[in-house]
Amino acid sequence: MQEIEHHYEDMDIVCERPTALLDKRMHYCPGCGHGVAHRIIMEAVEELGIQENTIGVAPVGCSVFAYHYMNVDMQEAAHGRATAVATGIKRCRPDKYVFTYQGDGDLAAIGTGETIHTVNRGENVLIVFINNAIYGMTGGQMAPTTLLEQKTSTTPYGREAPFMGNPLKITELLAQLPGAFYVTRQAVNTPLHVRRAKKAIVNGFKWQALNKGTCFVEIVSNCPTNWGMKPVESNKWLEEHMLPFYPLGDMKVPSKEELENG
Amino acid sequence: MGELRLMKGNEALAEAAIRAGMDAYFGYPITPQSEVLEYLTREAYKRTQCTILQAESEIASINMIYGASGAGARVMTSSSSPGISLMQEGISYIAGAELPCLLVNINRGGPGLGTIQPSQGDYFQSVKGGGHGDYRLIVLAPATVQEMADFVQDGWELAEKYRNPVMILSDGALGQMMEKVELREQIDRSKHVIPEWATTGKKKDRERNFITSLFIQPEEMEQVNLQLQAKYKTIVENEIRVQEVQTDDADFVIVAYGLSARIGRKVMELLRADGIKVGLIRPITLWPYPYETVSRAAERVKGFLSLELNAGQMVEDVRLAVNGRCPVEHYGRMGGIIPSPDEVADVIREMYSKIQ
Ligand SMILES: Cc1ncc(C[n+]2csc(CCOP(=O)(O)OP(=O)(O)O)c2C)c(N)n1
């Protein structure tokens, strides 16, 4: 058989790890969306050239160690309190780009109060919300966003509304608040969705400089391990079950005038 | 001499915070300390452009404190007992992440919603933990409106020196009473040195900073704990503050802090007029506790009374220090009732007649 000759020196690098993401092996399970979400956030930070001026807040959840990978100054908040921590940072360092990264249990269960009030005050921060419809870190219990009939370790026969409440569309709820400047729902299950999600995050950072309110990006994601699926299967399940209930797209976008009169 | 004013304890504290160069205050209203937030919203921003934010809860307040302190700001929150209970998780995180900040508890009666009247029922919560894990707060107990003001800047200096939360443990009476207070000069907060560990944006010439209390490897978590304990030991060695009044010739000692110490002083005078030589030990730092001072007195005196506005909390520390060498009793009223000096003097007369 003919030997293949490599001539790397003739090739252009078209894609590499963003320098704002540290060269470390992540602890996430194979196929988990957290890794992709981390990457696009750090790509955005790098492309915008704001690494020196960005402060992140990690949640309690699978992404509790986000600060091990993201090469920016970061704080690790108590479960659910990331947006309060971000408020404290931003109020004292208003010239910095401040973002939180939170799961659905963190942001939409234990931290619902802080989430709503942070957005209602229109804090000039970016909130990135990873909705995987389950509690990953603690081993797959029901989340506020768990779908009806979805099985988790605490809804072993499927979630039933009369006993366990309904899945919470917190993003739709937040889009109603006057303090919200930009609210969108994205996903990371296909290359197209990843590109769109990254665009949304770039906007979320960029528009923070306008000081006009909170930017909120939900990312519908997966949890192959706790959903009990292979990665590819989980992305299909996401498409077929999550997206019909959590449709992708913008819920609140700034008008041209709002963006121009910065 | 600084500027003299007649002020409420809570307002003196708030004024002192502005003058000490506070960068941010986050708080939620609760009686009997709402004047702090009210005074600050009225006065602070216009004078020093610092941040004053009424948060949606004490949980939010304490986590805003975490964020702001982690970003290198000089920060304070204040509340009263139920609100301080709500903050405990955050306080433990702050202690674990070694963030300096000032916490103020204007103690009211409990348990539960309790009463809005003064109490010292939060002694255990303040000095023995309150939140989870092995941590300590430096706890300062003012007894006058002057100290309500002075302990603000002193507290921040201790907090920043040791990267540790400091609590001012006061009560509803001290918060509400008016006294003369001498105020310190205004500190220019733009001159604060931002600590190098703070999250202020990663500059090219340094590694990223992160603030965390999470150390998942047992070996690492143990080391972090050992370092904390070493720090606490240094604090014990250097920062105990205590006032002794006429203990030199005393046969009997009242141990009391804050408001109780004011009553204790009056009791002392009453009994001395009767010929009973009573002295007073007033712990100013409740942690670190002045065990040595109490222990030294135990060498000479015939008995102790721990006078507290609770069911008997600090008395456990007095007994630890005395270690069985002479009788130690507790006297206290609860529910916001403040004992009269005569009432306490009778308790001591009775006790004294037995140990003569
Ligand atoms: C006060 C408190 N309660 C409960 C927990 C336990 N806990 C840790 S993570 C978590 C839920 C995480 O789920 P989610 O926010 O959806 O993030 P994921 O792990 O799925 O990314 C819980 C309940 C905790 N750490 N602190």
Side-chain angles (χ1 to χ4, degrees):
Chain A
M1 193 184 272
Q2 184 207 338
E3 268 198 24
I4 299 171
E5 287 178 45
H6 298 271
H7 293 287
Y8 287 123
E9 60 277 16
D10 298 339
M11 296 182 190
D12 290 334
I13 295 170
V14 291
C15 183
E16 60 185 330
R17 181 178 48 77
T19 55
L21 200 62
L22 290 159
D23 190 7
K24 277 190 178 173
R25 196 162 136 187
M26 287 185 174
H27 69 283
Y28 297 113
C29 304
C32 170
H34 274 309
V36 182
H38 282 25
R39 182 185 170 110
I40 56 178
I41 294 170
M42 287 300 112
E43 281 179 359
V45 165
E46 183 176 295
E47 284 173 27
L48 293 166
I50 56 172
Q51 190 177 358
E52 290 194 15
N53 289 305
T54 298
I55 305 170
V57 184
V60 176
C62 283
S63 48
V64 68
F65 283 128
Y67 58 87
H68 280 190
Y69 313 120
M70 298 180 175
N71 196 12
V72 292
D73 278 3
M74 287 195 78
Q75 298 195 20
E76 203 293 299
H79 192 25
R81 318 302 170 204
T83 57
V85 171
T87 298
I89 299 171
K90 185 74 180 192
R91 291 287 179 126
C92 292
R93 302 281 169 249
D95 55 336
K96 302 294 167 193
Y97 292 88
V98 177
F99 74 95
T100 72
Y101 183 101
Q102 302 173 259
D104 39 63
D106 196 87
L107 180 139
I110 195 168
T112 313
E114 284 77 6
T115 305
I116 290 177
H117 283 282
T118 300
V119 178
N120 195 47
R121 285 192 302 267
E123 297 291 339
N124 292 299
V125 299
L126 165 64
I127 300 172
V128 182
F129 166 40
I130 309 294
N131 176 7
N132 60 9
I134 207 158
Y135 284 11
M137 190 196 211
T138 40
Q141 297 82 9
M142 180 182 75
T145 49
T146 293
L147 299 174
L148 289 177
E149 292 171 28
Q150 187 183 338
K151 287 186 176 148
T152 69
S153 67
T154 52
T155 56
Y157 308 108
R159 182 178 192 168
E160 292 174 74
F163 303 113
M164 299 130 183
N166 288 285
L168 178 59
K169 292 186 176 178
I170 190 139
T171 307
E172 276 83 346
L173 202 147
L174 295 170
Q176 311 306 311
L177 302 176
F181 185 64
Y182 172 51
V183 179
T184 185
R185 181 183 287 123
Q186 305 293 331
V188 286
N189 64 324
T190 67
L192 176 67
H193 287 163
V194 172
R195 276 205 300 280
R196 287 188 183 149
K198 180 176 159 188
K199 183 92 195 19
I201 286 168
V202 168
N203 286 337
F205 273 119
K206 219 168 52 188
W207 293 341
Q208 215 180 110
L210 301 174
N211 282 327
K212 288 192 171 169
T214 312
C215 295
F216 188 94
V217 180
E218 173 178 342
I219 295 180
V220 180
S221 189
N222 61 349
C223 182
T225 300
N226 289 301
W227 289 0
M229 294 175 200
K230 294 188 177 120
V232 176
E233 230 182 305
S234 75
N235 278 337
K236 244 181 94 197
W237 193 87
L238 186 158
E239 191 84 39
E240 286 165 8
H241 294 87
M242 297 264 298
L243 297 190
F245 189 76
Y246 298 114
L248 303 184
D250 294 336
M251 286 174 224
K252 188 166 188 181
V253 269
S255 66
K256 247 202 163 108
E257 297 81 68
E258 282 176 309
L259 291 176
E260 273 161 11
N261 310 329
Chain B
M1 184 110 163
E3 186 188 341
L4 284 179
R5 275 203 225 163
L6 182 67
M7 292 183 99
K8 262 189 177 187
N10 287 334
E11 295 188 340
L13 177 128
E15 175 63 31
I18 300 171
R19 290 177 182 238
M22 175 172 69
D23 292 316
Y25 172 95
F26 304 96
Y28 187 82
I30 182 169
T31 309
Q33 64 78 55
S34 297
E35 296 85 357
V36 178
L37 175 58
E38 287 168 354
Y39 189 92
L40 289 173
T41 48
R42 209 162 59 228
E43 289 288 322
Y45 180 76
K46 67 175 188 203
R47 279 164 49 190
T48 67
Q49 289 74 54
C50 63
T51 294
I52 308 294
L53 181 60
Q54 178 172 338
E56 66 272 27
S57 70
E58 290 86 352
I59 299 182
S61 310
I62 194 69
N63 287 286
M64 290 170 184
I65 290 283
Y66 180 101
S69 174
R74 183 172 258 203
V75 292
M76 174 172 97
T77 184
S78 64
S79 185
S80 180
S81 310
I84 298 286
S85 292
L86 214 42
M87 291 185 192
Q88 292 299 329
E89 183 199 27
I91 294 175
S92 171
Y93 271 67
I94 286 171
E98 295 192 85
L99 297 176
C101 65
L102 189 61
L103 315 165
V104 180
N105 182 2
I106 306 296
N107 200 164
R108 58 188 249 183
L113 192 51
T115 165
I116 57 173
Q117 303 299 327
S119 161
Q120 295 181 324
D122 298 351
Y123 179 88
F124 280 155
Q125 185 194 55
S126 314
V127 308
K128 307 285 181 192
H132 57 287
D134 281 304
Y135 76 90
R136 292 290 189 178
L137 301 179
I138 298 173
V139 183
L140 301 170
T144 59
V145 171
Q146 182 67 53
E147 286 184 342
M148 289 282 281
D150 289 345
F151 289 178
V152 172
Q153 192 184 331
D154 295 1
W156 266 320
E157 284 169 4
L158 284 169
E160 286 156 14
K161 181 172 171 191
Y162 293 104
R163 281 189 66 176
N164 207 69
V166 170
M167 175 175 278
I168 294 180
L169 180 61
S170 184
D171 64 70
L174 283 165
Q176 299 297 324
M177 73 169 63
M178 288 185 98
E179 278 182 334
K180 186 177 74 175
V181 53
E182 183 184 344
L183 297 164
R184 299 184 189 176
E185 293 289 300
Q186 177 68 50
I187 291 176
D188 179 358
R189 64 183 197 89
S190 69
K191 302 226 166 80
H192 286 334
V193 182
I194 295 171
E196 59 200 19
W197 48 260
T199 58
T200 51
K202 181 202 166 312
K203 296 293 161 282
K204 287 208 173 63
D205 58 359
R206 68 157 167 85
E207 292 287 297
R208 73 199 188 292
N209 284 337
F210 54 86
I211 304 293
T212 187
S213 61
L214 172 66
F215 306 94
I216 204 96
Q217 300 299 338
E219 294 77 11
E220 198 188 352
M221 186 77 252
E222 185 173 53
Q223 282 311 314
V224 169
N225 267 291
L226 289 172
Q227 276 167 28
L228 282 178
Q229 293 304 319
K231 175 174 87 173
Y232 298 150
K233 189 161 168 274
T234 313
I235 296 172
V236 168
E237 280 160 10
N238 297 307
E239 307 299 347
I240 292 172
R241 289 170 70 175
V242 57
Q243 184 189 16
E244 289 185 73
V245 187
Q246 290 184 274
T247 49
D248 286 348
D249 66 341
D251 290 327
F252 190 93
V253 163
I254 299 169
V255 188
Y257 70 90
L259 188 66
S260 300
R262 298 170 71 116
I263 303 164
R265 249 189 121 125
K266 190 77 200 158
V267 174
M268 203 182 87
E269 283 165 24
L270 289 174
L271 291 170
R272 280 199 174 248
D274 281 3
I276 306 176
K277 286 189 189 144
V278 175
L280 175 77
I281 294 178
R282 173 170 81 97
I284 296 172
T285 50
L286 301 183
W287 193 87
Y289 193 79
Y291 291 108
E292 272 301 310
T293 310
V294 177
S295 178
R296 254 184 283 116
E299 292 295 320
R300 309 186 306 267
V301 306
K302 298 193 178 107
F304 287 87
L305 183 79
S306 184
L307 177 61
E308 310 168 58
L309 300 180
N310 59 35
Q313 301 191 13
M314 183 180 71
V315 65
E316 294 190 2
D317 285 315
V318 179
R319 288 202 174 109
L320 269 178
V322 172
N323 202 12
R325 282 173 286 176
C326 57
V328 177
E329 298 219 351
H330 164 264
Y331 186 74
R333 298 290 300 268
M334 285 159 283
I337 294 174
I338 299 173
S340 71
D342 286 321
E343 173 184 349
V344 182
D346 284 344
V347 171
I348 294 178
R349 276 191 201 100
E350 165 83 19
M351 195 180 160
Y352 196 72
S353 68
K354 289 189 197 136
I355 57 184
Q356 268 290 44

